[in-house]
Amino acid sequence: MTELKESRDDPFAVNLAALAVLDDRGVVAGWSRRAQDLLGHPDTAVIGRRAFEVLVDPRDRPAAREAAAECRRAGGWFGMLTVRHRDGRLVPMGLRAHELSREGGVREWFLAGAPAADVLEWQRDRAVLDGLYRQCPIGLVVHGPDLRLLRVNRAIERFSGVPAADFRGLPTGRMLVPDDERKAVDRVREVMETGRPLVYSEQFARLEQDPARERVVLVSSFRMEDPSGRVLGVAEMIEDITERHRAQRRLALLDQAGSRLGTTLDVAETARELAEVMVPHLADHASVDLLQSVTRGEELARALPGPVVRLGACGVGAQQPGPPHPQGDPVDFAPDSPEAVCLAEGRPVLEPVLPPDRLSMAGRKGAHGPDPGVHSLIVVPLAARGMTLGVMTLWRSRRPDPFEADDLTLAQELASRAAVAIDNARRFTQQQQTAFTLQSSLLPRAVPDQSAVEVALRYLPASAAPGLGGDWFDVIPLSGARVALVVGDVVGRGIHAAATMGRLRTAVHTLASLDLEPDEVLSRLDDLVLMLAAEQEAAGERPVVEQVVGATCLYAVYDPVSRRCSVARAGHLPPVVTAPDGHAAPLDLPAGPPLGLGGLPFEAREIELAEGSLLCLYTNGVIGERHADADAGLSRLCAALTRPADALEQTCRTVLQWLVPSRPTDDVALLIARTRTLPPEDVASWRLPPEPASAARARALTSAKLAEWGLEHLAFTTELIASELVTNVYRYAGGPATLRLIRDRSLVCEVSDTSHTSPHLRRARTTDEGGRGLFLVAQMTDRWGTRYTREGKTVWTEQLLAGAPT
């Protein structure tokens, strides 16, 4: 038989209390050993004597008589009295008296006493326990060993809306939805079997009678045992933290949105990020619809909203509502739909319970709306800087609880943050488009007609860097059937870099029209960059080093008659030359300083190129000079150029595939030219002495050669041109003249001499005998000009041939 052990916390337990029995006259009839220990009186000293005489001090007798009278009237009494110890001191005691009935109507009184301090402590413990059940705001649930409820407090009653008495005897978790019930049973069983307490565990506690309402509780559980160690059940402290949980979830969502939204300056990507942030934390499905003008980076009008496209959509579950349209397709909202109202009026719409006739029908004719399971809806405007950019729609179908006002507040906060990011992306798109428009207008749109080289061009803007770069290239026809090939790079990005590039390109065109040598062109271009830098400093703009200093350029002139190519560079990468046999190597060329340093010379190198050679000009985006080993990149470029006979377009594709990633980090400018040579029979040259008869000889030689070429219809004008130019050499240069005719897309007539004096048009008076030659030349030709060399100058003219492009 198991020994019954009393609780050590109860001061009136049999093994802890001082016990005594009094008869109806107050005479002590029984005295326990514990009473002797507490008060010092042995049983022989008190049994048979009146308790008032032995145990009560005379000063306390009125209170004792009042307690005795109350005990007789009520049949029992509990309270505090002072009892006299054997040594005379007074001991405060807590006393409890009960009436005992004997045969024959004899009454006796059973007294149990304990030190007042122990009784008061015990009373406080009982008050705490009573408060837990009656007044404590935290729920208390007691489970029996059979996993049935023994008792719950009033907090559980308020939490569930069910009277506390109705819980008694129910299986654990019976009033919860099945999923939460199973977890509650597992939790209690684990604590009961292992004895390990569970502290502050978050659990869902959705009631079966109200499954749509989300409830989250904080549970702490411990196993109950009696003094003998027998398991009595499990007690649980349950705190309703639903609002706290929602607040934490909202803060977490705001934090997540802050780290995800606006990570890129891309309108569509930001819209997709917003939709993905919302699901599944706030909604089961989210869609983001923006005005088409926003996606194109256009300025927004305050008039009625225009067409809308869906750029972001996200949903959970195979049967959940998906985006009515493929992302980016136009969306047509019904006039009375929540989305149309929100877009037109700029105010949010909350419909906690969505009736069937209010399901969103966003889409084209015949497009499906959301899944019929949708029961709650939020639509908020995406507004920034006073303008509505679009709307965000949130639906719930899987989660049973409807949207609330707090959900709307959270959705508006997230939409507001996203709208600013979207508007920033829109502005960036607008700036990019402006810069691209500027840059595309500055770059050559087509290769000009010329016979010197066959050209293929490629330009790829950097996809990862903000703004545009200053890379450019150009093909400029020159006199004498020659051509200038140019490539350059302006340090910096954005509209400033593009504008600077345009100014440099225009300057190169102007300098090229002067037919200067490549090194002289770069020297003059360097002066221009210094002037631009001075203008920026005078205007108080950003530091010069950010936009101008560091610009590089390579300038090459190829002559298809002599097959000579003169090249100079200003801090730019060397060109790669591929011989007809396929050998490709960078041209050994002095680097020269970047443009804008000033005071340093540039040096040109002249080489002879066989017909069919490749000349490759490029910027550092091709070989990755800024981010990788430039020598390795240059070697890969040479390897990609070893097939000169391939079509140039194919060669360009090969270079880009081998060296340039799909999303380049730097702008790429690539120019590949295949050299041509004019047939010797299309060029004629004569050296004429400085004498008056040279003009007549020039006319005769010109007439004969044009007859040989079948260009008799140009004989008169060309003879006159040659005669006037040779005469000018005789009169003003004082040395021999060289006459050259070139049959190309136009008929070129050149007269060279050793003088550097510039010929110029002047107005001849009626009495003047000369001064009309160059005026006649200018009137009879399509173009004319003068170019200078180290040996002298050349005056040239061009007449378009029949069938040649103008």
Side-chain angles (χ1 to χ4, degrees):
M1 183 175 180
T2 304
E3 179 183 0
L4 180 61
K5 294 184 178 181
E6 295 184 278
S7 171
R8 291 172 294 179
D9 297 329
D10 185 358
F12 293 108
V14 173
N15 60 332
L16 297 178
L19 304 178
V21 178
L22 305 181
D23 62 16
D24 200 33
R25 293 176 299 145
V27 176
V28 178
W31 190 255
S32 70
R33 183 61 179 267
R34 178 63 175 162
Q36 179 179 334
D37 295 338
L38 288 176
L39 300 176
H41 299 283
D43 54 356
T44 56
V46 294
I47 292 178
R49 299 177 61 183
R50 289 176 58 86
F52 269 64
E53 297 175 357
V54 181
L55 302 175
V56 180
D57 187 88
R59 292 169 293 180
D60 296 323
R61 285 177 182 174
R65 290 192 179 94
E66 183 179 348
E70 177 65 24
C71 183
R72 289 179 181 276
R73 286 194 302 268
W77 181 83
F78 171 75
M80 298 292 177
L81 287 177
T82 301
V83 180
R84 188 170 55 188
H85 195 274
R86 185 180 182 182
D87 59 11
R89 59 188 174 88
L90 300 179
V91 179
M93 296 283 290
L95 297 176
R96 176 177 288 170
H98 294 284
E99 181 182 356
L100 298 176
S101 297
R102 302 288 188 181
E103 294 181 2
V106 177
R107 287 196 307 175
E108 292 183 337
W109 302 92
F110 180 75
L111 275 67
D118 294 347
V119 174
L120 289 174
E121 183 178 356
W122 176 71
Q123 283 182 313
R124 285 193 295 268
D125 291 345
R126 292 299 300 266
V128 169
L129 183 61
D130 184 70
L132 286 175
Y133 279 105
R134 298 180 182 278
Q135 301 174 4
C136 181
I138 298 177
L140 177 63
V141 179
V142 179
H143 306 266
D146 58 353
L147 294 183
R148 288 186 175 274
L149 300 181
L150 299 179
R151 188 176 181 183
V152 301
N153 67 351
R154 291 181 179 176
I156 296 296
E157 182 178 276
R158 292 189 295 270
F159 174 77
S160 63
V162 178
D166 293 352
F167 282 89
R168 190 180 302 274
L170 290 179
T172 296
R174 171 56 60 87
M175 291 191 176
L176 302 178
V177 297
D179 188 45
D180 295 348
E181 177 185 4
R182 176 180 52 80
K183 294 178 181 178
V185 172
D186 293 342
R187 179 180 68 243
V188 173
R189 180 180 289 113
E190 179 182 357
V191 172
M192 189 172 299
E193 292 176 353
T194 64
R196 291 193 299 269
L198 183 68
V199 181
Y200 297 146
S201 173
E202 285 193 10
Q203 308 285 335
F204 283 100
R206 292 163 293 183
L207 298 177
E208 194 173 29
Q209 63 186 18
D210 188 13
R213 183 179 178 185
E214 180 185 64
R215 298 171 185 266
V216 183
V217 296
L218 198 64
V219 181
S220 295
S221 309
F222 60 92
R223 189 169 69 182
M224 301 182 298
E225 300 176 357
D226 65 10
S228 65
R230 183 178 61 177
V231 176
L232 302 179
V234 171
E236 290 188 314
M237 306 294 291
I238 300 177
E239 181 181 1
D240 184 2
I241 60 167
T242 303
E243 293 304 320
R244 187 197 313 172
H245 178 79
R246 289 178 179 175
Q248 291 174 345
R249 190 169 58 192
R250 293 186 184 106
L251 289 175
L253 187 56
L254 287 172
D255 181 67
Q256 181 184 3
S259 62
R260 289 198 59 185
L261 294 179
T263 57
T264 64
L265 289 172
D266 182 89
V267 172
E269 182 63 25
T270 304
R272 286 191 290 270
E273 290 172 348
L274 176 60
E276 291 170 359
V277 164
M278 294 296 176
V279 178
H281 306 290
L282 187 59
D284 296 324
H285 175 77
S287 64
V288 178
D289 305 307
L290 301 178
L291 298 175
Q292 274 188 348
S293 55
V294 174
T295 65
R296 294 193 293 259
E298 300 173 357
E299 286 294 338
L300 301 178
R302 293 186 179 273
L304 293 177
V308 177
V309 294
R310 179 151 297 170
L311 292 180
C314 187
V316 295
Q319 302 301 320
Q320 300 311 308
H325 305 286
Q327 294 185 14
D329 277 7
V331 179
D332 296 327
F333 295 124
D336 60 343
S337 67
E339 294 90 340
V341 172
C342 177
L343 189 62
E345 301 180 7
R347 62 178 179 86
V349 176
L350 169 62
E351 298 200 6
V353 179
L354 191 63
D357 60 344
R358 291 290 285 167
L359 287 177
S360 174
M361 295 303 294
R364 298 180 297 258
K365 184 177 180 180
H368 63 79
D371 186 84
V374 170
H375 60 81
S376 192
L377 171 74
I378 283 179
V379 185
V380 293
L382 297 169
R385 300 176 178 94
M387 302 297 294
T388 300
L389 313 177
V391 296
M392 176 179 68
T393 308
L394 305 178
W395 294 311
R396 279 187 180 174
S397 59
R398 170 177 289 188
R399 294 173 60 173
D401 50 315
F403 286 118
E404 300 176 349
D406 288 342
D407 298 321
L408 177 61
T409 301
L410 177 60
Q412 287 180 284
E413 173 65 23
L414 294 173
S416 176
R417 295 188 182 188
V420 173
I422 290 173
D423 192 52
N424 289 339
R426 177 193 66 81
R427 293 185 171 200
F428 176 76
T429 301
Q430 184 183 50
Q431 292 182 357
Q432 284 290 84
Q433 290 174 347
T434 302
F436 275 121
T437 301
L438 173 62
Q439 191 176 45
S440 62
S441 66
L442 296 176
L443 289 174
R445 299 189 178 185
V447 178
D449 293 316
Q450 43 79 39
S451 302
V453 291
E454 176 190 357
V455 178
L457 305 171
R458 287 290 188 279
Y459 180 82
L460 298 177
S463 59
L468 294 173
D471 293 17
W472 93 92
F473 46 66
D474 223 329
V475 179
I476 308 173
L478 301 177
S479 63
R482 298 169 307 135
V483 66
L485 305 175
V486 191
V487 66
D489 186 1
V490 176
V491 174
R493 305 199 65 80
I495 294 180
H496 289 288
T500 302
M501 176 269 289
R503 299 177 76 173
L504 294 181
R505 179 173 177 255
T506 301
V508 170
H509 269 265
T510 302
L511 296 173
S513 67
L514 300 177
D515 271 320
L516 301 176
E517 295 292 329
D519 54 342
E520 182 65 19
V521 169
L522 294 182
S523 295
R524 305 255 183 124
L525 199 61
D526 185 57
D527 294 338
L528 173 64
V529 170
L530 288 174
M531 183 189 70
L532 295 177
E535 288 180 358
Q536 286 185 340
E537 287 183 333
E541 296 181 10
R542 63 182 62 190
V544 177
V545 294
E546 293 188 10
Q547 292 297 337
V548 178
V549 174
T552 64
C553 183
L554 186 145
Y555 188 88
V557 175
Y558 174 69
D559 186 347
V561 177
S562 64
R563 296 188 287 110
R564 306 291 294 178
C565 182
S566 181
V567 188
R569 62 179 177 140
H572 202 81
L573 297 166
V576 174
V577 177
T578 303
D581 62 2
H583 175 71
L587 182 62
D588 185 10
L589 185 66
L595 299 174
L597 296 183
L600 299 176
F602 299 95
E603 184 177 349
R605 180 185 174 190
E606 189 173 80
I607 60 172
E608 184 174 331
L609 298 176
E611 184 176 8
S613 299
L614 296 185
L615 187 64
C616 179
L617 283 63
Y618 54 93
T619 57
N620 48 30
V622 174
I623 64 173
E625 181 191 39
R626 294 178 181 175
H627 307 288
D629 186 353
D631 292 336
L634 197 55
S635 298
R636 292 196 300 272
L637 176 60
C638 292
L641 295 170
T642 56
R643 298 175 62 89
D646 288 352
L648 288 187
E649 293 297 328
Q650 176 60 41
T651 303
C652 281
R653 286 193 293 270
T654 301
V655 170
L656 296 180
Q657 289 173 0
W658 285 22
L659 281 85
V660 180
S662 58
R663 295 178 60 85
T665 58
D666 194 8
D667 292 342
V668 172
L670 177 65
L671 185 157
I672 302 178
R674 179 182 286 119
T675 61
R676 295 169 176 161
T677 303
L678 289 183
E681 58 270 18
D682 288 342
V683 181
S685 178
W686 303 276
R687 189 172 180 82
L688 302 175
E691 57 185 29
S694 293
R697 178 167 174 73
R699 289 194 296 271
L701 293 172
T702 299
S703 179
K705 179 55 69 174
L706 293 183
E708 178 185 338
W709 285 344
L711 300 176
E712 293 87 349
H713 61 287
L714 296 178
F716 176 77
T717 56
T718 309
E719 287 179 25
L720 180 58
I721 292 169
S723 175
E724 289 294 335
L725 295 180
V726 171
T727 299
N728 282 342
V729 172
Y730 167 70
R731 285 183 177 179
Y732 306 111
T738 300
L739 172 65
R740 186 168 73 163
L741 297 178
I742 301 174
R743 182 179 64 174
D744 190 26
R745 296 173 181 269
S746 61
L747 177 62
V748 179
C749 178
E750 299 179 343
V751 175
S752 304
D753 59 58
T754 57
S755 171
H756 288 87
T757 303
S758 174
H760 61 277
L761 290 173
R762 68 183 178 90
R763 182 177 181 180
R765 292 171 295 188
T766 56
T767 58
D768 290 343
E769 295 183 359
R772 299 177 179 83
L774 283 181
F775 178 78
L776 292 175
V777 169
Q779 296 299 312
M780 294 179 182
T781 60
D782 295 289
R783 290 201 311 157
W784 78 280
T786 304
R787 68 174 181 267
Y788 296 89
T789 64
R790 292 178 176 84
E791 294 77 20
K793 70 174 182 297
T794 298
V795 181
W796 54 269
T797 66
E798 290 184 2
Q799 302 172 77
L800 287 177
L801 298 179
T806 59

